[in-house]
Amino acid sequence: MIHIKSAEEIEKMRDACKVVRDTLLFVGDRIKAGMTTKEVDDLVYRYITSCGAIPSELGYEGYPASSCVSVNDVVVHGIPSDDKIIMDGDIVSVDITAEKNGYNGDAARTFLIGNVSEEKRKLVKVTEECFFKALEGLQDGTPLYDIGYAVQTHAESHGYGVVKALTGHGIGRDMHEDPAVPNFGRKGTGVRLKAGMTICIEPMITLGTWKVWQDAKDGWTVRTNDGKPAAHYENTVLITKTGTEILTL
């Protein structure tokens, strides 16, 4: 069931989303080659808790960390590890969710580490562009799949793959609420968005195939089938009568 947020609930979500935004800025200023992905996760935990918030991902369905730190061909859900060292030229997606006063905010960024190839840089840039393309014309009454249509059209115009097995989602008291928000779809279809809805729009775009697989060893890590890199860009978005408000920017 889709939950329309009250003005009071939206204010609480703004607080949680500010924590998420500031945490990603904090991490972005410090992430570098030579760090382990566990060290990145430690930064996330330290900053979120210093804000009086809770890292929602920690313990979620058994997930063992405060963030997802996904390197190169890992699309999402990379489990931070002392054994995974970030290298010069990597792209690293950091996806975090924070809960404050009973409400959640969620966002992801893909960071460029050192001397990143032009091919990877363009992938990260276009993935971010996909998010903003999805916002164009979005408001109360817009069909849901207009979001996916915009993401897919922009990504595929650059020859990139659009991950179909994973979606964005509603958010509020729970990290994942209805509706699912795919990154593909037919324009003019799907439920109509309503003012007061809060959703996470999160393009997951690949340099090669859109097909992915989940690592059976840990039950979480999702990688591209062809081993080519993927990028991820996400924000929590409020639907309004006349447009949108990005709560995690």
Side-chain angles (χ1 to χ4, degrees):
M1 185 176 73
I2 296 172
H3 179 60
I4 305 301
K5 309 302 188 297
S6 67
E8 181 181 358
E9 288 177 306
I10 291 166
E11 286 306 311
K12 289 180 178 179
M13 289 197 65
R14 283 197 178 98
D15 289 342
C17 288
K18 181 180 183 300
V19 172
V20 170
R21 179 199 69 193
D22 292 348
T23 303
L24 286 169
L25 289 171
F26 179 78
V27 170
D29 285 342
R30 289 160 178 79
I31 192 170
K32 61 182 179 180
M35 293 178 72
T36 66
T37 54
K38 176 63 165 61
E39 287 175 315
V40 175
D41 189 63
D42 289 343
L43 291 176
V44 170
Y45 179 83
R46 190 167 84 231
Y47 196 90
I48 289 176
T49 55
S50 75
C51 298
I54 298 167
S56 310
E57 292 174 18
L58 184 59
Y60 178 79
E61 295 186 355
Y63 188 74
S66 300
S67 60
C68 299
V69 186
S70 304
V71 182
N72 294 329
D73 67 313
V74 178
V75 183
V76 289
H77 304 162
I79 298 176
S81 168
D82 287 322
D83 297 326
K84 181 62 179 178
I85 299 173
I86 296 169
M87 307 295 287
D88 182 73
D90 284 345
I91 57 173
V92 183
S93 300
V94 180
D95 185 358
I96 66 171
T97 311
E99 178 190 331
K100 192 169 185 180
N101 298 321
Y103 287 83
N104 290 275
D106 186 1
R109 302 286 182 267
T110 300
F111 297 109
L112 306 171
I113 308 300
N115 299 299
V116 176
S117 68
E118 184 55 37
E119 187 177 51
K120 286 182 178 178
R121 286 180 181 273
K122 183 181 176 186
L123 173 66
V124 173
K125 178 175 179 288
V126 170
T127 301
E128 182 175 339
E129 289 172 357
C130 284
F131 170 84
F132 288 99
K133 288 288 184 182
L135 294 188
E136 293 178 4
L138 209 60
Q139 62 181 26
D140 182 79
T142 302
L144 175 67
Y145 293 144
D146 282 16
I147 294 171
Y149 174 82
V151 170
Q152 182 177 22
T153 300
H154 190 64
E156 291 181 350
S157 74
H158 289 273
Y160 296 146
V162 178
V163 174
K164 296 179 173 65
L166 303 157
T167 70
H169 51 89
I171 187 169
R173 282 191 175 275
D174 294 322
M175 189 192 327
H176 294 138
E177 297 182 351
D178 291 334
V181 184
N183 290 309
F184 65 98
R186 185 160 58 89
K187 190 175 178 64
T189 64
V191 300
R192 299 277 170 168
L193 300 176
K194 294 185 180 299
M197 286 177 64
T198 46
I199 59 175
C200 291
I201 299 173
E202 48 179 315
M204 291 163 272
I205 309 301
T206 66
L207 194 58
T209 180
W210 56 269
K211 296 180 180 179
V212 298
W213 62 282
Q214 187 174 61
D215 193 333
K217 293 178 186 175
D218 62 37
W220 286 99
T221 306
V222 177
R223 300 178 182 273
T224 58
N225 271 16
D226 56 11
K228 291 185 178 180
H232 185 196
Y233 186 86
E234 174 186 16
N235 283 299
T236 300
V237 176
L238 169 67
I239 306 300
T240 72
K241 285 288 186 186
T242 58
T244 57
E245 179 185 346
I246 305 170
L247 300 179
T248 43
L249 272 185

